[in-house]
Short mmCIF file of all heavy atoms in Angstrom, two decimals:
data_model
loop_
_atom_site.label_atom_id
_atom_site.label_comp_id
_atom_site.label_asym_id
_atom_site.label_seq_id
_atom_site.Cartn_x
_atom_site.Cartn_y
_atom_site.Cartn_z
N ASP A 1 -22.49 23.77 -24.27
CA ASP A 1 -22.59 24.44 -22.92
C ASP A 1 -23.84 24.12 -22.23
O ASP A 1 -24.97 24.02 -22.85
CB ASP A 1 -22.28 25.87 -23.02
CG ASP A 1 -20.81 26.26 -23.17
OD1 ASP A 1 -20.08 25.31 -23.25
OD2 ASP A 1 -20.58 27.52 -23.47
N ARG A 2 -23.84 23.96 -21.04
CA ARG A 2 -25.01 23.79 -20.11
C ARG A 2 -25.10 24.85 -19.08
O ARG A 2 -24.16 25.43 -18.64
CB ARG A 2 -24.93 22.47 -19.35
CG ARG A 2 -24.72 21.31 -20.17
CD ARG A 2 -26.10 20.88 -20.76
NE ARG A 2 -26.08 19.66 -21.41
CZ ARG A 2 -26.24 19.48 -22.65
NH1 ARG A 2 -26.55 20.46 -23.36
NH2 ARG A 2 -26.19 18.24 -23.28
N THR A 3 -26.32 25.34 -18.63
CA THR A 3 -26.57 26.33 -17.68
C THR A 3 -26.36 25.53 -16.35
O THR A 3 -26.93 24.59 -16.13
CB THR A 3 -27.91 26.94 -17.76
OG1 THR A 3 -28.06 27.52 -19.00
CG2 THR A 3 -28.18 27.90 -16.60
N ILE A 4 -25.51 26.20 -15.55
CA ILE A 4 -25.26 25.71 -14.11
C ILE A 4 -25.77 26.77 -13.19
O ILE A 4 -25.33 27.97 -13.21
CB ILE A 4 -23.82 25.32 -13.93
CG1 ILE A 4 -23.21 24.42 -14.86
CG2 ILE A 4 -23.52 24.90 -12.47
CD1 ILE A 4 -21.83 24.25 -14.98
N ASP A 5 -26.81 26.38 -12.27
CA ASP A 5 -27.19 27.34 -11.21
C ASP A 5 -26.75 26.94 -9.91
O ASP A 5 -26.85 25.72 -9.57
CB ASP A 5 -28.77 27.19 -11.21
CG ASP A 5 -29.46 27.92 -12.51
OD1 ASP A 5 -28.87 28.96 -12.95
OD2 ASP A 5 -30.36 27.36 -13.00
N LEU A 6 -26.10 27.87 -9.28
CA LEU A 6 -25.56 27.59 -7.82
C LEU A 6 -26.44 28.45 -6.85
O LEU A 6 -26.49 29.61 -7.12
CB LEU A 6 -24.03 27.94 -7.81
CG LEU A 6 -23.25 27.41 -8.90
CD1 LEU A 6 -21.88 28.16 -9.01
CD2 LEU A 6 -22.98 25.95 -8.53
N MET A 7 -26.92 27.80 -5.95
CA MET A 7 -27.80 28.49 -4.93
C MET A 7 -27.37 28.12 -3.56
O MET A 7 -27.05 26.95 -3.34
CB MET A 7 -29.29 28.17 -5.16
CG MET A 7 -29.78 28.67 -6.57
SD MET A 7 -31.22 27.73 -7.18
CE MET A 7 -30.32 26.33 -7.60
N VAL A 8 -27.49 29.09 -2.62
CA VAL A 8 -27.20 28.88 -1.19
C VAL A 8 -28.39 29.28 -0.51
O VAL A 8 -29.05 30.31 -0.63
CB VAL A 8 -25.96 29.60 -0.76
CG1 VAL A 8 -25.76 29.45 0.75
CG2 VAL A 8 -24.60 29.08 -1.43
N TYR A 9 -28.94 28.32 0.41
CA TYR A 9 -30.08 28.61 1.23
C TYR A 9 -29.76 28.41 2.66
O TYR A 9 -28.91 27.77 3.08
CB TYR A 9 -31.25 27.44 1.02
CG TYR A 9 -31.68 27.44 -0.47
CD1 TYR A 9 -31.17 26.84 -1.46
CD2 TYR A 9 -32.86 28.22 -0.73
CE1 TYR A 9 -31.69 26.75 -2.77
CE2 TYR A 9 -33.35 28.21 -2.03
CZ TYR A 9 -32.78 27.53 -3.09
OH TYR A 9 -33.25 27.46 -4.31
N ASP A 10 -30.48 29.26 3.51
CA ASP A 10 -30.41 29.04 4.94
C ASP A 10 -31.23 27.92 5.31
O ASP A 10 -31.88 27.27 4.47
CB ASP A 10 -30.69 30.28 5.79
CG ASP A 10 -32.06 30.81 5.64
OD1 ASP A 10 -32.86 30.02 5.26
OD2 ASP A 10 -32.39 31.93 6.05
N LEU A 11 -31.04 27.43 6.68
CA LEU A 11 -31.86 26.17 6.96
C LEU A 11 -33.25 26.41 7.05
O LEU A 11 -34.05 25.43 7.15
CB LEU A 11 -31.21 25.62 8.25
CG LEU A 11 -29.85 25.09 8.19
CD1 LEU A 11 -29.35 24.49 9.57
CD2 LEU A 11 -29.68 24.18 7.09
N SER A 12 -33.77 27.68 6.98
CA SER A 12 -35.23 27.79 6.88
C SER A 12 -35.70 27.82 5.51
O SER A 12 -37.03 27.83 5.32
CB SER A 12 -35.59 29.26 7.60
OG SER A 12 -35.17 30.27 6.64
N GLY A 13 -34.84 27.65 4.47
CA GLY A 13 -35.24 27.49 3.13
C GLY A 13 -35.18 28.73 2.39
O GLY A 13 -35.50 28.73 1.16
N ARG A 14 -34.73 29.75 2.97
CA ARG A 14 -34.70 31.09 2.34
C ARG A 14 -33.44 31.24 1.44
O ARG A 14 -32.37 30.91 1.86
CB ARG A 14 -34.65 32.31 3.38
CG ARG A 14 -34.67 33.67 2.76
CD ARG A 14 -34.69 34.61 3.91
NE ARG A 14 -33.70 34.65 4.88
CZ ARG A 14 -32.66 35.53 4.93
NH1 ARG A 14 -32.63 36.49 4.13
NH2 ARG A 14 -31.76 35.37 5.75
N LEU A 15 -33.64 31.66 0.15
CA LEU A 15 -32.42 31.79 -0.85
C LEU A 15 -31.70 32.95 -0.36
O LEU A 15 -32.14 34.07 -0.12
CB LEU A 15 -33.05 32.07 -2.25
CG LEU A 15 -32.07 32.09 -3.35
CD1 LEU A 15 -31.21 30.94 -3.52
CD2 LEU A 15 -32.67 32.70 -4.55
N ILE A 16 -30.37 32.59 -0.11
CA ILE A 16 -29.40 33.58 0.27
C ILE A 16 -28.66 34.12 -0.81
O ILE A 16 -28.28 35.39 -0.87
CB ILE A 16 -28.40 33.00 1.31
CG1 ILE A 16 -29.19 32.49 2.52
CG2 ILE A 16 -27.39 34.01 1.78
CD1 ILE A 16 -29.90 33.50 3.31
N TRP A 17 -28.22 33.30 -1.74
CA TRP A 17 -27.23 33.56 -2.85
C TRP A 17 -27.52 32.83 -4.09
O TRP A 17 -27.85 31.65 -3.83
CB TRP A 17 -25.83 33.48 -2.36
CG TRP A 17 -24.75 33.87 -3.44
CD1 TRP A 17 -24.23 35.01 -3.68
CD2 TRP A 17 -24.00 32.85 -4.21
NE1 TRP A 17 -23.33 34.84 -4.65
CE2 TRP A 17 -23.16 33.50 -4.91
CE3 TRP A 17 -24.14 31.45 -4.28
CZ2 TRP A 17 -22.27 32.91 -5.81
CZ3 TRP A 17 -23.21 30.86 -5.11
CH2 TRP A 17 -22.36 31.46 -5.97
N LYS A 18 -27.45 33.35 -5.22
CA LYS A 18 -27.58 32.54 -6.58
C LYS A 18 -26.59 33.06 -7.56
O LYS A 18 -26.44 34.34 -7.61
CB LYS A 18 -29.04 32.71 -6.92
CG LYS A 18 -29.26 31.85 -8.24
CD LYS A 18 -30.71 31.92 -8.67
CE LYS A 18 -30.87 31.18 -9.91
NZ LYS A 18 -32.27 31.01 -10.31
N GLN A 19 -26.03 32.20 -8.21
CA GLN A 19 -25.18 32.45 -9.36
C GLN A 19 -25.53 31.46 -10.51
O GLN A 19 -25.63 30.28 -10.36
CB GLN A 19 -23.75 32.38 -8.94
CG GLN A 19 -22.81 32.57 -10.16
CD GLN A 19 -21.31 32.36 -9.73
OE1 GLN A 19 -20.94 32.71 -8.67
NE2 GLN A 19 -20.62 31.83 -10.57
N ALA A 20 -25.59 31.96 -11.79
CA ALA A 20 -25.75 31.14 -12.92
C ALA A 20 -24.57 31.36 -13.76
O ALA A 20 -24.00 32.46 -14.02
CB ALA A 20 -26.97 31.56 -13.69
N GLN A 21 -24.07 30.28 -14.34
CA GLN A 21 -23.05 30.32 -15.30
C GLN A 21 -23.14 29.18 -16.45
O GLN A 21 -23.90 28.35 -16.17
CB GLN A 21 -21.63 30.14 -14.51
CG GLN A 21 -21.45 28.78 -13.83
CD GLN A 21 -20.20 28.72 -12.95
OE1 GLN A 21 -19.97 29.62 -12.12
NE2 GLN A 21 -19.45 27.62 -13.11
N MET A 22 -22.55 29.39 -17.39
CA MET A 22 -22.54 28.43 -18.51
C MET A 22 -21.28 27.67 -18.42
O MET A 22 -20.15 28.14 -18.04
CB MET A 22 -22.57 29.06 -19.91
CG MET A 22 -23.76 29.94 -20.14
SD MET A 22 -25.20 28.89 -20.26
CE MET A 22 -24.99 28.07 -21.85
N GLY A 23 -21.33 26.30 -18.74
CA GLY A 23 -20.20 25.50 -18.64
C GLY A 23 -20.29 24.21 -19.28
O GLY A 23 -21.37 23.76 -19.68
N PHE A 24 -19.15 23.70 -19.53
CA PHE A 24 -19.04 22.26 -20.22
C PHE A 24 -17.90 21.59 -19.52
O PHE A 24 -16.80 22.21 -19.30
CB PHE A 24 -18.88 22.41 -21.69
CG PHE A 24 -18.81 21.10 -22.36
CD1 PHE A 24 -19.91 20.31 -22.61
CD2 PHE A 24 -17.54 20.54 -22.71
CE1 PHE A 24 -19.80 19.02 -23.17
CE2 PHE A 24 -17.37 19.30 -23.28
CZ PHE A 24 -18.62 18.57 -23.57
N GLY A 25 -17.99 20.32 -19.15
CA GLY A 25 -16.94 19.57 -18.54
C GLY A 25 -16.82 19.91 -17.05
O GLY A 25 -17.77 20.44 -16.43
N GLU A 26 -15.64 19.74 -16.50
CA GLU A 26 -15.45 20.02 -15.16
C GLU A 26 -15.53 21.41 -14.88
O GLU A 26 -14.86 22.28 -15.57
CB GLU A 26 -14.08 19.40 -14.74
CG GLU A 26 -13.84 19.49 -13.23
CD GLU A 26 -12.56 18.90 -12.76
OE1 GLU A 26 -12.16 17.83 -13.44
OE2 GLU A 26 -11.96 19.36 -11.90
N GLN A 27 -16.12 21.88 -13.82
CA GLN A 27 -16.24 23.24 -13.42
C GLN A 27 -15.98 23.48 -12.00
O GLN A 27 -15.96 22.62 -11.20
CB GLN A 27 -17.81 23.68 -13.64
CG GLN A 27 -18.42 23.60 -15.00
CD GLN A 27 -17.77 24.56 -15.89
OE1 GLN A 27 -17.71 25.83 -15.63
NE2 GLN A 27 -17.23 24.12 -17.12
N THR A 28 -15.66 24.72 -11.60
CA THR A 28 -15.30 25.04 -10.22
C THR A 28 -16.11 26.38 -9.98
O THR A 28 -16.38 27.15 -10.95
CB THR A 28 -13.77 25.37 -10.03
OG1 THR A 28 -13.39 26.40 -10.87
CG2 THR A 28 -12.99 24.13 -10.21
N ALA A 29 -16.55 26.54 -8.73
CA ALA A 29 -17.22 27.72 -8.32
C ALA A 29 -16.93 27.95 -6.92
O ALA A 29 -16.52 27.02 -6.11
CB ALA A 29 -18.76 27.57 -8.49
N SER A 30 -17.03 29.20 -6.45
CA SER A 30 -16.77 29.54 -5.09
C SER A 30 -17.82 30.56 -4.61
O SER A 30 -18.36 31.26 -5.34
CB SER A 30 -15.45 30.06 -4.86
OG SER A 30 -15.23 31.29 -5.55
N TRP A 31 -18.07 30.52 -3.31
CA TRP A 31 -18.97 31.45 -2.68
C TRP A 31 -18.24 32.05 -1.51
O TRP A 31 -17.63 31.43 -0.61
CB TRP A 31 -20.19 30.70 -2.15
CG TRP A 31 -21.13 31.47 -1.28
CD1 TRP A 31 -21.71 32.69 -1.67
CD2 TRP A 31 -21.55 31.21 -0.07
NE1 TRP A 31 -22.58 33.12 -0.69
CE2 TRP A 31 -22.50 32.23 0.33
CE3 TRP A 31 -21.50 30.19 0.91
CZ2 TRP A 31 -23.20 32.34 1.57
CZ3 TRP A 31 -22.09 30.19 2.17
CH2 TRP A 31 -22.98 31.21 2.42
N ASP A 32 -18.27 33.42 -1.42
CA ASP A 32 -17.40 34.10 -0.32
C ASP A 32 -18.15 34.37 0.90
O ASP A 32 -17.67 35.09 1.71
CB ASP A 32 -17.02 35.43 -0.96
CG ASP A 32 -18.13 36.41 -1.30
OD1 ASP A 32 -19.30 36.15 -1.18
OD2 ASP A 32 -17.77 37.54 -1.88
N GLY A 33 -19.29 33.73 1.10
CA GLY A 33 -20.10 33.93 2.35
C GLY A 33 -20.87 35.17 2.44
O GLY A 33 -21.31 35.61 3.47
N ARG A 34 -21.19 35.75 1.39
CA ARG A 34 -21.99 36.96 1.23
C ARG A 34 -23.35 36.59 0.60
O ARG A 34 -23.38 35.72 -0.29
CB ARG A 34 -21.34 38.05 0.54
CG ARG A 34 -20.08 38.42 1.18
CD ARG A 34 -19.39 39.58 0.37
NE ARG A 34 -18.09 40.05 1.07
CZ ARG A 34 -17.90 40.87 2.01
NH1 ARG A 34 -19.00 41.37 2.55
NH2 ARG A 34 -16.81 41.08 2.58
N ASP A 35 -24.40 37.33 0.94
CA ASP A 35 -25.74 37.20 0.31
C ASP A 35 -25.77 37.92 -0.98
O ASP A 35 -24.78 38.70 -1.36
CB ASP A 35 -26.80 37.49 1.23
CG ASP A 35 -26.79 38.96 1.67
OD1 ASP A 35 -26.17 39.82 1.09
OD2 ASP A 35 -27.49 39.36 2.69
N ASN A 36 -26.81 37.99 -1.67
CA ASN A 36 -26.96 38.70 -2.96
C ASN A 36 -26.76 40.16 -2.84
O ASN A 36 -26.53 40.90 -3.72
CB ASN A 36 -28.24 38.34 -3.56
CG ASN A 36 -28.26 36.99 -4.28
OD1 ASN A 36 -27.14 36.58 -4.76
ND2 ASN A 36 -29.36 36.35 -4.49
N ALA A 37 -27.07 40.73 -1.47
CA ALA A 37 -26.93 42.08 -1.39
C ALA A 37 -25.42 42.50 -1.04
O ALA A 37 -25.09 43.61 -0.82
CB ALA A 37 -27.78 42.53 -0.17
N GLY A 38 -24.55 41.50 -0.85
CA GLY A 38 -23.17 41.81 -0.60
C GLY A 38 -22.77 41.73 0.90
O GLY A 38 -21.64 42.01 1.28
N ASP A 39 -23.84 41.42 1.76
CA ASP A 39 -23.53 41.32 3.20
C ASP A 39 -23.09 40.03 3.65
O ASP A 39 -23.59 38.86 3.04
CB ASP A 39 -24.87 41.63 3.89
CG ASP A 39 -25.31 43.08 3.62
OD1 ASP A 39 -24.50 44.07 3.51
OD2 ASP A 39 -26.65 43.31 3.48
N LEU A 40 -22.22 39.93 4.58
CA LEU A 40 -21.75 38.60 5.18
C LEU A 40 -22.89 37.91 5.85
O LEU A 40 -23.65 38.67 6.55
CB LEU A 40 -20.57 38.80 6.23
CG LEU A 40 -19.26 39.19 5.66
CD1 LEU A 40 -18.31 39.51 6.87
CD2 LEU A 40 -18.73 37.93 5.00
N VAL A 41 -23.02 36.64 5.60
CA VAL A 41 -24.19 35.93 6.23
C VAL A 41 -23.62 35.51 7.68
O VAL A 41 -22.50 35.41 7.85
CB VAL A 41 -24.48 34.75 5.48
CG1 VAL A 41 -25.03 35.02 4.10
CG2 VAL A 41 -23.31 33.71 5.31
N PRO A 42 -24.56 35.28 8.61
CA PRO A 42 -24.16 34.89 9.92
C PRO A 42 -23.56 33.49 9.89
O PRO A 42 -23.74 32.66 9.02
CB PRO A 42 -25.49 34.79 10.69
CG PRO A 42 -26.49 35.58 9.87
CD PRO A 42 -26.01 35.49 8.53
N PRO A 43 -22.62 33.22 10.81
CA PRO A 43 -22.05 31.88 10.87
C PRO A 43 -23.18 30.81 11.07
O PRO A 43 -24.12 31.22 11.70
CB PRO A 43 -21.16 31.98 12.12
CG PRO A 43 -20.89 33.43 12.38
CD PRO A 43 -22.08 34.13 11.85
N GLY A 44 -22.91 29.73 10.52
CA GLY A 44 -23.97 28.56 10.74
C GLY A 44 -23.87 27.63 9.56
O GLY A 44 -22.88 27.61 8.73
N LEU A 45 -24.90 26.90 9.45
CA LEU A 45 -24.98 25.80 8.32
C LEU A 45 -25.94 26.33 7.33
O LEU A 45 -26.94 27.01 7.50
CB LEU A 45 -25.61 24.57 8.87
CG LEU A 45 -24.77 23.81 9.91
CD1 LEU A 45 -25.48 22.70 10.51
CD2 LEU A 45 -23.40 23.36 9.29
N TYR A 46 -25.51 25.99 6.04
CA TYR A 46 -26.29 26.39 4.87
C TYR A 46 -26.40 25.20 3.77
O TYR A 46 -25.50 24.33 3.94
CB TYR A 46 -25.57 27.68 4.12
CG TYR A 46 -25.62 28.86 5.02
CD1 TYR A 46 -24.69 29.11 6.01
CD2 TYR A 46 -26.65 29.84 4.93
CE1 TYR A 46 -24.72 30.26 6.79
CE2 TYR A 46 -26.68 30.91 5.72
CZ TYR A 46 -25.69 31.07 6.69
OH TYR A 46 -25.86 32.22 7.42
N LEU A 47 -27.33 25.29 3.02
CA LEU A 47 -27.50 24.19 1.92
C LEU A 47 -27.07 24.75 0.60
O LEU A 47 -27.58 25.82 0.22
CB LEU A 47 -28.97 23.77 2.01
CG LEU A 47 -29.31 22.69 0.98
CD1 LEU A 47 -28.60 21.34 1.31
CD2 LEU A 47 -30.77 22.46 0.91
N CYS A 48 -26.17 24.10 -0.04
CA CYS A 48 -25.80 24.56 -1.39
C CYS A 48 -26.34 23.62 -2.32
O CYS A 48 -26.26 22.44 -2.30
CB CYS A 48 -24.18 24.46 -1.47
SG CYS A 48 -23.65 24.77 -3.16
N LYS A 49 -27.13 24.21 -3.28
CA LYS A 49 -27.82 23.46 -4.30
C LYS A 49 -27.33 23.67 -5.67
O LYS A 49 -27.12 24.89 -6.02
CB LYS A 49 -29.27 23.68 -4.24
CG LYS A 49 -30.24 22.96 -5.12
CD LYS A 49 -31.60 23.26 -4.91
CE LYS A 49 -32.55 22.43 -5.78
NZ LYS A 49 -33.99 22.82 -5.50
N ILE A 50 -26.95 22.70 -6.40
CA ILE A 50 -26.40 22.79 -7.83
C ILE A 50 -27.40 22.13 -8.76
O ILE A 50 -27.69 21.07 -8.54
CB ILE A 50 -25.02 22.10 -7.85
CG1 ILE A 50 -24.05 22.75 -6.80
CG2 ILE A 50 -24.50 22.40 -9.24
CD1 ILE A 50 -22.85 21.90 -6.58
N GLU A 51 -27.81 22.98 -9.69
CA GLU A 51 -28.59 22.47 -10.69
C GLU A 51 -28.01 22.57 -12.09
O GLU A 51 -27.52 23.66 -12.47
CB GLU A 51 -30.09 23.14 -10.70
CG GLU A 51 -30.82 22.92 -9.56
CD GLU A 51 -32.26 23.57 -9.57
OE1 GLU A 51 -32.61 24.18 -10.61
OE2 GLU A 51 -32.96 23.32 -8.62
N VAL A 52 -28.16 21.61 -12.94
CA VAL A 52 -27.48 21.59 -14.24
C VAL A 52 -28.44 21.09 -15.29
O VAL A 52 -29.22 20.09 -15.15
CB VAL A 52 -26.26 20.57 -14.29
CG1 VAL A 52 -25.56 20.63 -15.67
CG2 VAL A 52 -25.25 21.03 -13.15
N ASP A 53 -28.65 21.88 -16.35
CA ASP A 53 -29.43 21.38 -17.50
C ASP A 53 -29.00 20.06 -17.88
O ASP A 53 -27.78 19.81 -18.17
CB ASP A 53 -29.34 22.39 -18.70
CG ASP A 53 -30.17 23.62 -18.42
OD1 ASP A 53 -31.06 23.62 -17.56
OD2 ASP A 53 -29.85 24.69 -19.03
N ALA A 54 -29.86 19.11 -18.19
CA ALA A 54 -29.56 17.83 -18.60
C ALA A 54 -29.60 17.65 -20.01
O ALA A 54 -30.01 18.54 -20.81
CB ALA A 54 -30.61 16.82 -17.92
N ASP A 55 -29.13 16.55 -20.58
CA ASP A 55 -29.25 16.28 -21.87
C ASP A 55 -30.66 15.98 -22.30
O ASP A 55 -31.46 15.68 -21.49
CB ASP A 55 -28.34 14.96 -22.24
CG ASP A 55 -26.88 15.12 -22.09
OD1 ASP A 55 -26.46 16.29 -22.30
OD2 ASP A 55 -26.15 14.20 -21.78
N ALA A 56 -30.89 15.99 -23.51
CA ALA A 56 -32.31 15.80 -24.03
C ALA A 56 -32.91 14.47 -23.63
O ALA A 56 -34.15 14.30 -23.42
CB ALA A 56 -32.37 15.94 -25.69
N ASN A 57 -32.06 13.37 -23.55
CA ASN A 57 -32.64 12.13 -23.22
C ASN A 57 -32.68 11.82 -21.72
O ASN A 57 -32.98 10.75 -21.27
CB ASN A 57 -31.87 11.02 -23.80
CG ASN A 57 -30.45 10.97 -23.49
OD1 ASN A 57 -29.97 11.92 -22.82
ND2 ASN A 57 -29.69 10.00 -23.86
N GLU A 58 -32.33 12.81 -20.81
CA GLU A 58 -32.34 12.69 -19.37
C GLU A 58 -33.56 13.61 -18.82
O GLU A 58 -34.26 14.23 -19.50
CB GLU A 58 -31.13 13.18 -18.90
CG GLU A 58 -29.87 12.30 -19.21
CD GLU A 58 -28.54 12.80 -18.58
OE1 GLU A 58 -28.66 13.60 -17.60
OE2 GLU A 58 -27.55 12.42 -19.12
N ALA A 59 -33.70 13.52 -17.51
CA ALA A 59 -34.61 14.40 -16.80
C ALA A 59 -34.26 15.75 -17.07
O ALA A 59 -33.02 16.17 -17.55
CB ALA A 59 -34.57 14.14 -15.26
N SER A 60 -35.08 16.74 -16.82
CA SER A 60 -34.94 18.14 -17.24
C SER A 60 -33.70 18.73 -16.60
O SER A 60 -32.98 19.66 -17.15
CB SER A 60 -36.19 18.96 -17.08
OG SER A 60 -36.56 19.01 -15.75
N ARG A 61 -33.48 18.50 -15.31
CA ARG A 61 -32.50 19.11 -14.57
C ARG A 61 -31.82 18.06 -13.58
O ARG A 61 -32.38 17.08 -13.17
CB ARG A 61 -32.93 20.24 -13.53
CG ARG A 61 -33.62 21.30 -14.25
CD ARG A 61 -32.91 22.38 -14.76
NE ARG A 61 -32.22 23.18 -13.74
CZ ARG A 61 -31.40 24.14 -14.17
NH1 ARG A 61 -31.06 24.37 -15.28
NH2 ARG A 61 -30.91 24.93 -13.24
N THR A 62 -30.49 18.11 -13.48
CA THR A 62 -29.68 17.28 -12.53
C THR A 62 -29.48 18.19 -11.35
O THR A 62 -28.95 19.22 -11.42
CB THR A 62 -28.35 16.81 -13.12
OG1 THR A 62 -28.58 16.00 -14.34
CG2 THR A 62 -27.60 15.95 -12.21
N VAL A 63 -29.75 17.66 -10.19
CA VAL A 63 -29.75 18.37 -8.92
C VAL A 63 -28.78 17.70 -7.94
O VAL A 63 -28.82 16.46 -7.71
CB VAL A 63 -31.05 18.52 -8.30
CG1 VAL A 63 -30.95 19.31 -6.99
CG2 VAL A 63 -31.99 19.21 -9.24
N GLU A 64 -27.89 18.41 -7.36
CA GLU A 64 -26.99 17.96 -6.30
C GLU A 64 -27.02 18.97 -5.05
O GLU A 64 -27.13 20.13 -5.32
CB GLU A 64 -25.56 17.89 -6.84
CG GLU A 64 -24.68 17.01 -5.90
CD GLU A 64 -23.38 16.69 -6.69
OE1 GLU A 64 -23.43 16.27 -7.77
OE2 GLU A 64 -22.40 17.00 -5.99
N GLN A 65 -27.09 18.42 -3.85
CA GLN A 65 -27.11 19.28 -2.66
C GLN A 65 -25.89 18.96 -1.74
O GLN A 65 -25.62 17.74 -1.62
CB GLN A 65 -28.45 19.14 -1.98
CG GLN A 65 -29.64 19.53 -2.83
CD GLN A 65 -30.95 19.57 -2.11
OE1 GLN A 65 -31.07 19.38 -0.87
NE2 GLN A 65 -32.00 19.47 -2.96
N HIS A 66 -25.43 19.96 -1.02
CA HIS A 66 -24.41 19.80 -0.11
C HIS A 66 -24.60 20.74 1.11
O HIS A 66 -25.06 21.86 0.97
CB HIS A 66 -23.04 20.08 -0.74
CG HIS A 66 -22.71 19.31 -1.84
ND1 HIS A 66 -22.07 18.08 -1.71
CD2 HIS A 66 -22.90 19.51 -3.14
CE1 HIS A 66 -21.96 17.46 -2.83
NE2 HIS A 66 -22.37 18.29 -3.87
N LEU A 67 -24.23 20.24 2.30
CA LEU A 67 -24.42 21.02 3.47
C LEU A 67 -23.08 21.80 3.71
O LEU A 67 -21.97 21.09 3.61
CB LEU A 67 -24.67 20.21 4.75
CG LEU A 67 -25.02 20.90 5.98
CD1 LEU A 67 -26.31 21.73 5.74
CD2 LEU A 67 -25.19 19.91 7.08
N ILE A 68 -23.01 23.07 3.77
CA ILE A 68 -21.72 23.79 4.04
C ILE A 68 -21.87 24.61 5.32
O ILE A 68 -22.98 24.95 5.78
CB ILE A 68 -21.45 24.62 2.81
CG1 ILE A 68 -22.64 25.68 2.66
CG2 ILE A 68 -21.16 23.92 1.53
CD1 ILE A 68 -22.32 26.71 1.41
N SER A 69 -20.72 24.97 5.90
CA SER A 69 -20.77 25.73 7.22
C SER A 69 -20.00 27.02 6.85
O SER A 69 -18.95 27.03 6.19
CB SER A 69 -20.17 24.80 8.29
OG SER A 69 -18.85 24.44 8.06
N VAL A 70 -20.40 28.03 7.69
CA VAL A 70 -19.65 29.32 7.71
C VAL A 70 -19.22 29.59 8.94
O VAL A 70 -20.02 29.51 9.98
CB VAL A 70 -20.66 30.44 7.09
CG1 VAL A 70 -20.06 31.80 7.23
CG2 VAL A 70 -21.14 30.18 5.69
N ALA A 71 -18.04 29.88 9.11
CA ALA A 71 -17.40 30.25 10.36
C ALA A 71 -16.30 31.38 10.19
O ALA A 71 -15.73 31.36 9.16
CB ALA A 71 -16.72 29.06 11.06
N TYR A 72 -16.41 32.36 11.09
CA TYR A 72 -15.43 33.47 10.97
C TYR A 72 -15.18 34.07 12.41
O TYR A 72 -15.88 33.80 13.25
CB TYR A 72 -15.73 34.47 9.96
CG TYR A 72 -17.09 35.24 10.01
CD1 TYR A 72 -17.31 36.25 10.86
CD2 TYR A 72 -18.14 34.56 9.28
CE1 TYR A 72 -18.56 36.89 10.91
CE2 TYR A 72 -19.37 35.20 9.33
CZ TYR A 72 -19.60 36.37 10.21
OH TYR A 72 -20.83 36.79 10.15
#
């Protein structure tokens, strides 16, 4: 198993939401548009960052980033 950290940032770089989970193989995750306090975030663009512990012979973390939008 590898540690998978999922983080959502606003465009100013402020961490809005974070979740850590253990996993192996294909994984799925979802974010309901709420911050860590449980409040709905304002509509707009956010950056989703995914970090995964790497194998011993790789860099320490694998990082992937995606732009996501919130509308309601």
